[in-house]
Amino acid sequence: MKKVERQRELVKSNIDLFQCPVCEQPMKKIEGNSLVCINNHRFDFNRHGYLHFLNGAANTEYGSEMFNSRRQLLNAGLFSPIIEGISKLLPAKSMKILDVGTGEGTPLMQLNALRLKYSDTMIGFDISKPGITLATQLPLAAFFFVADLRKLPFTAQSFDLILELFSPSDYQEFNRVLKNNGMLIKVIPNANYLIELRHLLYQDGERNYQYDNSRVVELFKQHYPNSQIKKIKYRFDIPNGLQEALLEMTPLHWGENAKKLSREEFDQLTTITVDVSLLITKKS
């Protein structure tokens, strides 16, 4: 089965999850190469097999080079303890999982590998077309698409889990599409996340030399007063030759005063600190 055909079948078998982002009415059917709502708004599967739910072009600086670099590091295990920590929080049953800001999709694939016996329904979206194009190439029975975080193309109470790694949030939309007793897990960086790279790129006193996640945590707790926080911190040995990919996969080097690293500085970067918090809540 071709990629487009496989994606059409995945959407067809889960069509009850989808609603039209134009009129907010349920999707009705797959007709030819299109997903069609009850008011006849149509969304075509492109040649990569995904749907584009945005009105107009996406406004993002994340390109294919960044996502290719991210995939190299994630395949080498950069986020493996994070994904394992998430997996341990999930119930031993089949779930409908939405990955927000999925990028090139590797974390979703790694989570699926840990939960194969549960046959989860997995859906990932991002605003970046290059990321989603890469995600559709994964050997994973998941559906990926381009969409706006603020206007999710899903019916109310569709998902058992919303997963979000290092992405913006729209808690109103999350609450709408999350089932009662469904779980939201948001992964955010802590102060020491990639600190070795941060301190190579910036000098003490410069804006990006330090990071403080307190505002993000405070906002999450405002929305979910009964939420929990689980911290995960470890050192990752950077495979030889992937130092520049590590730099490319993060927007850290986009800062105004970011230093251009020398070959010697790259070679000295052999290990990196991964320091994150999992913000966890259940919809009551």
Side-chain angles (χ1 to χ4, degrees):
M1 187 181 292
K2 293 181 180 179
K3 186 192 305 181
V4 176
E5 294 171 346
R6 188 167 61 247
Q7 292 295 296
R8 280 200 301 257
E9 285 304 310
L10 279 169
V11 173
K12 185 177 180 180
S13 61
N14 292 283
I15 199 166
D16 58 309
L17 295 178
F18 291 87
Q19 75 174 27
C20 178
V22 177
C23 64
E24 300 182 357
Q25 296 302 306
M27 292 298 186
K28 179 175 59 174
K29 61 183 176 179
I30 301 287
E31 185 175 86
N33 198 43
S34 302
L35 177 61
V36 186
C37 81
I38 61 174
N39 288 324
N40 211 38
H41 296 119
R42 307 174 72 89
F43 301 87
D44 296 336
F45 291 85
N46 68 10
R47 62 188 179 89
H48 299 289
Y50 65 80
L51 292 163
H52 190 284
F53 285 116
L54 290 179
N55 292 321
N59 183 20
T60 177
E61 298 176 277
Y62 294 176
S64 57
E65 186 176 356
M66 180 182 189
F67 287 118
N68 274 310
S69 297
R70 182 178 188 255
R71 177 168 289 178
Q72 289 181 68
L73 267 301
L74 269 57
N75 282 340
L78 179 63
F79 287 174
S80 291
I82 300 175
I83 304 304
E84 290 165 6
I86 291 169
S87 179
K88 290 174 182 178
L89 295 171
L90 304 183
K93 65 177 185 178
S94 179
M95 304 180 75
K96 288 183 168 61
I97 298 174
L98 177 64
D99 185 18
V100 175
T102 194
E104 43 71 51
T106 299
L108 195 60
M109 183 178 72
Q110 293 174 340
L111 180 61
N112 180 72
L114 296 173
R115 291 180 51 83
L116 281 175
K117 64 182 179 181
Y118 301 117
S119 300
D120 297 319
T121 299
M122 292 194 161
I123 295 179
F125 80 92
D126 203 285
I127 198 173
S128 171
K129 290 172 65 176
I132 295 301
T133 298
L134 280 172
T136 60
Q137 298 170 9
L138 292 170
L140 176 64
F143 180 68
F144 295 99
F145 62 94
V146 174
D148 186 349
L149 170 71
R150 293 172 295 277
K151 198 165 188 178
L152 298 177
F154 299 112
T155 55
Q157 299 189 40
S158 291
F159 293 96
D160 302 289
L161 169 67
I162 295 178
L163 177 62
E164 185 189 59
L165 277 75
F166 309 108
S167 294
S169 300
D170 188 312
Y171 297 123
Q172 182 175 337
E173 276 292 82
F174 291 174
N175 292 336
R176 183 182 67 81
V177 303
L178 197 61
K179 292 180 181 179
N180 291 333
N181 209 39
M183 183 180 294
L184 167 62
I185 301 177
K186 179 178 175 67
V187 182
I188 63 171
N190 292 333
N192 289 321
Y193 180 70
L194 306 187
I195 194 168
E196 297 85 357
L197 180 59
R198 185 182 294 276
H199 286 181
L200 277 176
L201 292 170
Y202 301 96
Q203 296 183 10
D204 193 1
E206 291 183 330
R207 181 171 176 264
N208 290 307
Y209 186 79
Q210 295 177 317
Y211 175 73
D212 180 4
N213 68 12
S214 57
R215 292 178 64 184
V216 179
V217 173
E218 181 181 350
L219 182 61
F220 193 88
K221 288 185 173 181
Q222 286 176 12
H223 284 272
Y224 309 106
N226 296 322
S227 61
Q228 298 177 323
I229 299 178
K230 177 180 174 61
K231 295 187 177 181
I232 298 176
K233 185 176 182 181
Y234 55 93
R235 302 272 295 178
F236 176 74
D237 293 329
I238 305 169
N240 189 35
L242 289 187
Q243 286 83 358
E244 291 182 60
L246 178 69
L247 176 68
E248 184 59 38
M249 68 162 275
T250 167
L252 270 177
H253 65 292
W254 294 352
E256 183 180 356
N257 298 317
K259 178 183 178 182
K260 184 174 177 60
L261 300 184
S262 67
R263 181 71 268 159
E264 182 180 5
E265 288 169 316
F266 273 123
D267 291 341
Q268 292 172 356
L269 191 63
T270 57
T271 63
I272 198 77
T273 299
V274 180
D275 180 21
V276 302
S277 285
L278 276 56
L279 308 184
I280 308 155
T281 192
K282 281 191 174 183
K283 180 181 174 182
S284 57

